[in-house]
Amino acid sequence: MRPYVPRRSPLRALCGALLVLACTATGCSGDADSKEGAAAARPGAAGAGDPLFPKLGNGGYDVTHYKLTLDYAPDDNRLKGTAEITARATEPLSSFNLDLAGLTVRKATVDGMTATFTRGGTELTVTPKSSLSKGRIFKASIRYDGTPKTIHDPDGSIEGWIETDDGAVGLGQPTGSMAWFPGNHHPSDKAAYDVDVTVPTDYTAVSNGELESREATGERTTYRWHTGEPMASYLATLAVGQFEVTDTVTDGDLPQYNAVDYDEVDASRKVSEQVSEIIDWQSRRFGPYPFSSTGAIVDRNPDVGYALETQTKPYFGAAPDELLLVHELAHQWFGNSVTPRSWQDMWLNEGFATYAEWLWEADHDGRSADEIFQDFWDGTDDQSEGIWAFPPGSPPSAEAVSDSPVYGRGAMTLHKVREAVGDDTFFSIVRTWLKRHRHGNADTRAFIALCEKESGKDLSEIFDVWLYGKGKPDRP
């Protein structure tokens, strides 16, 4: 972000009879074990334990796949959906929770059997007919409908489901995805997704990954999108509108899908070319592009004051400038492929994406990274306002997770590490970081450990001052 899913044989019958006789004579532990397992089952936690968002996400299971089947009517802003969630129980569960804000749940099933459910705030508690043993793969299906909510954040920004002049968009950072589908909405639980969306035929529905098919039936069209690489739910998107679509490839033959609102077409003529150029440059800097496609969604959405790094297709509320494209595409490596284990590590997303802007400027006849660093320290750079409000490695609250220090001072921390270890070692660290944690989760502690191991240096002073120190450090 940056502001702006037989018949039994006689032998078996005989064996069964002998087993019954043996159990009668000696006693069997099967029933006892079953009862013991059932007794051990307990409700999954209503929260993943995030330091900043303790109620976000849920415990007791790990999602591997979401299959969302959606039908959206733009005229009255009504959404009907079925979410099929494939997951593995990580502990014995008598019930489990999903995050869902608003909407009306009509039915819930677990492995095809009707389950009971209750609602409380943004928690949807699902109780299957029988408990789920640890390690069991299960499929929960939730059928729901209603008018999705727009979530108003404390900082004045909006997320969730946002209506536009000609449709709507679902934006999820940090909590908004729960406004349009139920799930385990914490970045630590990544999954593959299939999103089928039916809309009126004169609309286009765009989501993450690759468009597998487009099928028109009467006056409605169904778009089927597939995301094979793991994705955190906050990076999922669905944009419905009237778009000019460009389905092409980058210079490196990577599939590129761009959807541009007709009102933004003229101002976005260079977007396809810029995406190709930037992806090529970032691949040389950071290592191979981590996904099977790329692109962009350029909407006309003046109510959204930011761009978002939605996986494979960053979302822009208006035609983006070059540096904004650099920032959001850098997130495909930093944040989307390597995702923070908790929101407290947001600087690993935004600090790197901001530093990518610095590197781009330096490589394209602009200021050097040293000069940009000094402009941030002096307060003369446009993005430097407020960067000393708190340490970027310790955001004080959920409301501050996307504030200036996480971006600008996060980038300054990276530049100080680069100065300390040298260019060759620094960029080797970056590429190792991205390769080691590709499509996974990681945290600040792991990053610091990698920096010190690869460089052979004690970097504690740099991180203590620039990442965790309070106030403005002495002039470097």
Side-chain angles (χ1 to χ4, degrees):
M1 178 191 289
R2 181 152 78 84
Y4 159 156
V5 206
R7 291 177 59 187
R8 296 178 70 197
S9 70
L11 179 60
R12 286 188 178 180
L14 176 60
C15 290
L18 292 173
L19 180 60
V20 170
L21 290 173
C23 286
T24 303
T26 64
C28 286
S29 61
D31 287 346
D33 287 345
S34 176
K35 291 176 182 177
E36 184 178 332
R42 58 185 184 274
D50 191 279
L52 299 178
F53 296 87
K55 289 296 185 181
L56 194 62
N58 302 284
Y61 63 94
D62 174 57
V63 180
T64 58
H65 183 260
Y66 289 92
K67 171 63 182 295
L68 306 180
T69 304
L70 308 172
D71 189 297
Y72 180 61
D75 287 349
D76 56 5
N77 193 30
R78 296 282 296 181
L79 180 70
K80 292 191 296 184
T82 299
E84 294 181 3
I85 302 164
T86 303
R88 180 181 62 86
T90 57
E91 60 186 61
L93 292 172
S94 58
S95 65
F96 57 90
N97 281 28
L98 298 167
D99 302 312
L100 183 64
L103 299 169
T104 300
V105 176
R106 302 295 181 181
K107 186 177 182 179
T109 65
V110 177
D111 290 335
M113 300 181 68
T114 300
T116 59
F117 59 88
T118 58
R119 303 288 300 272
T122 60
E123 297 294 331
L124 168 63
T125 302
V126 179
T127 304
K129 284 200 170 183
S130 58
S131 61
L132 304 171
S133 59
K134 181 179 179 179
R136 175 171 165 178
I137 305 297
F138 65 94
K139 181 177 289 186
S141 178
I142 311 296
R143 182 162 57 85
Y144 59 97
D145 59 60
T147 301
K149 296 177 62 173
T150 298
I151 297 173
H152 295 265
D153 294 328
D155 63 0
S157 64
I158 56 175
E159 54 173 316
W161 192 259
I162 303 163
E163 283 193 273
T164 61
D165 289 343
D166 60 354
V169 62
L171 299 176
Q173 187 171 314
T175 67
S177 292
M178 69 173 73
W180 58 284
F181 69 95
N184 195 15
H185 291 298
H186 188 267
S188 61
D189 194 358
K190 301 168 73 170
Y193 281 71
D194 284 283
V195 181
D196 296 355
V197 191
T198 301
V199 294
T201 297
D202 54 340
Y203 285 80
T204 300
V206 186
S207 190
N208 313 84
E210 292 81 56
L211 180 63
E212 294 202 317
S213 69
R214 174 186 170 194
E215 182 179 349
T217 305
E219 297 181 349
R220 299 182 70 74
T221 299
T222 299
Y223 293 80
R224 293 183 173 88
W225 292 92
H226 172 70
T227 299
E229 298 95 353
M231 178 169 69
S233 65
Y234 80 90
L235 299 169
T237 191
L238 171 59
V240 177
Q242 295 175 329
F243 299 112
E244 179 180 271
V245 171
T246 304
D247 197 351
T248 183
V249 294
T250 67
D251 290 342
D253 293 330
L254 183 70
Q256 180 182 175
Y257 187 104
N258 301 311
V260 181
D261 186 285
Y262 284 110
D263 289 334
E264 296 293 328
V265 167
D266 287 343
S268 304
R269 293 295 181 194
K270 294 182 178 180
V271 164
S272 181
E273 179 184 341
Q274 289 173 322
V275 168
S276 181
E277 181 184 1
I278 292 166
I279 290 290
D280 179 64
W281 174 82
Q282 292 177 336
S283 297
R284 294 197 305 272
R285 275 291 194 179
F286 309 135
Y289 179 74
F291 301 109
S292 50
S293 64
T294 188
I297 302 170
V298 182
D299 213 344
R300 186 170 181 81
N301 198 345
D303 293 334
V304 174
Y306 56 86
L308 190 61
E309 62 268 24
T310 44
Q311 193 158 303
T312 69
K313 298 178 189 67
Y315 178 86
F316 305 94
D321 63 27
E322 188 175 71
L323 281 180
L324 188 54
L325 276 168
V326 169
H327 185 102
E328 303 306 336
L329 289 170
H331 275 308
Q332 306 307 306
W333 284 263
F334 305 102
N336 297 14
S337 177
V338 182
T339 306
R341 202 175 302 282
S342 79
W343 283 109
Q344 197 161 1
D345 296 309
M346 181 72 155
W347 83 276
L348 286 168
N349 292 14
E350 303 300 351
F352 265 113
T354 302
Y355 199 59
E357 294 183 57
W358 296 17
L359 297 174
W360 175 270
E361 184 175 343
D363 282 358
H364 292 80
D365 301 322
R367 295 171 296 172
S368 69
D370 283 334
E371 290 171 331
I372 300 172
F373 180 98
Q374 289 298 334
D375 288 345
F376 268 72
W377 195 91
D378 292 334
T380 57
D381 189 281
D382 291 342
Q383 296 183 46
S384 64
E385 184 178 355
I387 62 173
W388 310 113
F390 59 83
S394 300
S397 66
E399 291 78 10
V401 74
S402 292
D403 284 357
S404 297
V406 176
Y407 294 70
R409 192 167 164 189
M412 296 178 83
T413 300
L414 293 171
H415 191 67
K416 295 303 293 183
V417 173
R418 180 183 174 187
E419 282 185 338
V421 305
D423 279 13
D424 290 346
T425 300
F426 177 76
F427 287 105
S428 175
I429 289 169
V430 171
R431 287 187 287 270
T432 300
W433 173 254
L434 293 168
K435 182 178 180 179
R436 181 173 297 178
H437 300 288
R438 183 181 175 93
H439 300 316
N441 296 87
D443 55 25
T444 300
R445 183 170 60 179
F447 181 72
I448 293 174
L450 178 65
C451 290
E452 295 191 328
K453 179 181 178 181
E454 294 296 309
S455 68
K457 295 185 177 184
D458 180 356
L459 302 172
S460 57
E461 184 176 354
I462 288 174
F463 288 107
D464 287 347
V465 171
W466 292 94
L467 189 62
Y468 292 113
K470 294 182 178 180
K472 187 175 182 179
D474 293 336
R475 186 176 187 90

